Amino acid sequence: MTFSPPLRRFLRTVHVAVSVGWLGAIGAYIALNVPAVVSTDPQTVRAAYLMMEPVALYGIVPLSLATLLTGVIQSLGTPWGLFRHYWVVVSLVVTTFATVVLILHLGTVRELAELARDPNVDMRNAGGDLFHSIGGFIALLIPLWLNMYKPRGLTRHGWRRQQRDKRTAGPSLVDADRD
Amino acid sequence: MATRQRDGGGQPPPRPRWLKVLLLGILVVVLAFVVMHVLQGGGPQLHGPGMGRGMSQHSTVVGAALITRGVA
């Protein structure tokens, strides 16, 4: 099934918007970690930890799921396919991995926010949450690069599909409109 | 064999070089992060006036860090 060009463009726009938004939301999360790590003011540190929870829960997580969903839908509705090109497969694997790690990490984010709500806990030495956020940011640069440059390379499945298409329908769908 | 005959007997293309470089890079970065994570002690560390309060409510990383610091 191949979507019509207008629908394809619309889906691509949505996919770019949510995936770039995901990176931006992680950027905001990293920014909140800066005062959490370097500030000496207890209230500033506490506020930073309290804000990390809604940024992760209502910003990063929905955008990550939307990125995964729109990416899969888009690939299934274009000649690129989901498993025909290495760059699509790697993008899918990295995005899925980042989403799973993010969801598993939500528990820690909630616990840090819960601790920050306790006025008797000094959060200045909590150490921040830079490790996962910077790791996630770096990981998401991989699908970004792959989606922008679309490096060549057919998977075995893609190659077989291409051979079959060449025999049955003339020019391969894989080499057709790549939008 | 059946697949090759069906595909016209050709060979599938080799894996592209960029893929090998990328996978190697990912492996190096993952290993570096794992080492850093181990060296950091596995997560946030808390101490201060509230240390040890409400530990039963918190689990996993933060709870373990609190317990560790409390014992230390």
Side-chain angles (χ1 to χ4, degrees), chain A residues 16-79:
Chain A
V16 169
V18 293
S19 54
V20 171
W22 185 9
L23 271 172
I26 295 178
Y29 191 85
I30 292 173
L32 282 171
N33 268 277
V34 174
V37 173
V38 302
S39 178
T40 54
D41 178 27
Q43 293 307 315
T44 304
V45 175
R46 189 178 306 283
Y49 279 105
L50 287 172
M51 286 312 297
M52 282 181 207
E53 187 184 22
V55 168
L57 203 58
Y58 306 123
I60 299 175
V61 170
L63 287 167
S64 71
L65 295 173
T67 300
L68 197 56
L69 187 67
T70 55
V72 170
I73 292 173
Q74 198 188 5
S75 65
L76 291 175
T78 63

Side-chain angles (χ1 to χ4, degrees), chain B residues 4 6 9 14 16 28 32-33 37 40 42 44 47 51 53:
Chain B
R4 278 189 184 176
R6 199 169 59 237
V28 169
F33 266 83
H37 205 248
Q40 277 185 346
H47 58 80
M51 180 183 65
R53 280 176 53 87

Side-chain angles (χ1 to χ4, degrees), chain A residues 26-162:
Chain A
I26 295 178
Y29 191 85
I30 292 173
L32 282 171
N33 268 277
V34 174
V37 173
V38 302
S39 178
T40 54
D41 178 27
Q43 293 307 315
T44 304
V45 175
R46 189 178 306 283
Y49 279 105
L50 287 172
M51 286 312 297
M52 282 181 207
E53 187 184 22
V55 168
L57 203 58
Y58 306 123
I60 299 175
V61 170
L63 287 167
S64 71
L65 295 173
T67 300
L68 197 56
L69 187 67
T70 55
V72 170
I73 292 173
Q74 198 188 5
S75 65
L76 291 175
T78 63
W80 289 107
L82 195 53
F83 299 107
R84 293 185 209 172
H85 294 264
Y86 280 116
W87 75 264
V88 181
V89 175
V90 174
S91 290
L92 175 67
V93 169
V94 173
T95 306
T96 306
F97 178 76
T99 304
V100 169
V101 170
L102 169 66
I103 290 170
L104 291 176
H105 188 61
L106 272 182
T108 303
V109 176
R110 279 183 172 150
E111 284 165 1
L112 283 168
E114 191 66 31
L115 280 172
R117 285 188 196 100
D118 187 342
N120 296 310
V121 175
D122 185 357
M123 297 297 291
R124 281 176 295 182
N125 298 304
D129 193 21
L130 278 171
F131 180 80
H132 286 90
S133 49
I134 289 178
F137 192 88
I138 292 171
L140 291 181
L141 292 179
I142 295 170
L144 177 68
W145 172 72
L146 291 171
N147 278 266
M148 288 295 107
Y149 287 89
K150 297 179 175 56
R152 289 184 178 278
L154 285 171
T155 62
R156 282 174 182 270
H157 166 70
W159 178 78
R160 282 197 294 269
R161 184 72 182 255
Q162 189 184 46

